[in-house]
Amino acid sequence: MKTIRPRPLTPAEFAPFGDVIDTRGQPDMVINQGQCGRYHDRAQLDFADGRAGISLFVATPRSLPYRLEMVERHPLGSQTFIPMTHQPFLVIVAPDEAGTPGAPRAFLTEPGQAVSYHRGTWHGVLTPLHAPGLFAVVDRIGPGENLQEYWFDTPWIVEAP
Ligand SMILES: NC(=O)N[C@@H](O)C(=O)O
Ligand code: NI
């Protein structure tokens, strides 16, 4: 059985796959007469010939160990997941190896962290670990096929950390 142990999500480890959006450290700018810190422009968004769309997802909470049967990617745009609750969630990505995903990597977010997958990054579908699995999602709206799925011959098991 192929297993993966999730690691804490860090910008450095996640960099090949996407951006981590969070409020660690000092804000990039203080606005609104000093009443608000702005963590400015924290993800590389890409919508190719489409446009940005904002949606809300209510996803079924999963539990660990988690059976990963499929990863997907969006060849035409980035995809950003912003939790609307202060709960960690599971993030799964995989490197591309000549058009198919390599060994997946799993991360657990800190409460308040959001992620943005680069255009074309193999990833697991949205995987909350607590109810409600409520997320704002920014991704591409536009023509063309923007979803490619890859089903593993045998599932990976994402273990508890
Ligand atoms: N298909 C869809 O809208 N969501 C997936 O892309 C996902 O990453 O959860
Ligand atoms: Ni997706």
Side-chain angles (χ1 to χ4, degrees):
M1 185 181 303
K2 303 181 296 186
T3 62
I4 317 167
R5 194 168 298 277
R7 295 175 51 79
L9 181 66
T10 65
E13 284 199 54
F14 197 66
F17 306 105
D19 299 298
V20 176
I21 305 165
D22 63 17
T23 57
R24 286 171 311 132
Q26 294 303 308
D28 300 296
M29 49 189 83
V30 176
I31 58 174
N32 300 351
Q33 296 75 46
Q35 302 306 300
C36 177
R38 179 169 174 150
Y39 294 77
H40 178 69
D41 193 20
R42 290 300 181 96
Q44 307 166 56
L45 305 184
D46 179 351
F47 306 112
D49 59 340
R51 63 175 176 82
I54 297 184
S55 306
L56 295 183
F57 283 25
V58 181
T60 303
R62 292 7 178 246
S63 55
L64 298 177
Y66 172 67
R67 185 182 170 92
L68 176 70
E69 298 181 328
M70 180 272 283
V71 290
E72 57 167 50
R73 65 179 174 178
H74 309 297
L76 301 177
S78 56
Q79 189 173 46
T80 305
F81 290 93
I82 304 166
M84 296 178 73
T85 63
H86 205 63
Q87 297 284 9
F89 64 102
L90 182 62
V91 174
I92 297 168
V93 290
D96 182 55
E97 294 178 354
T100 59
R105 307 270 304 277
F107 299 93
L108 283 176
T109 67
E110 288 292 324
Q113 282 186 318
V115 294
S116 189
Y117 299 124
H118 291 325
R119 174 177 175 178
T121 291
W122 290 109
H123 59 278
V125 298
L126 178 57
T127 318
L129 296 173
H130 305 271
L134 177 61
F135 290 73
V137 178
V138 181
D139 59 6
R140 177 184 178 270
I141 309 296
E145 183 50 55
N146 192 28
L147 175 61
Q148 182 183 358
E149 295 182 344
Y150 182 90
W151 292 83
F152 295 109
D153 296 337
T154 54
W156 290 81
I157 303 300
V158 183
E159 299 176 324

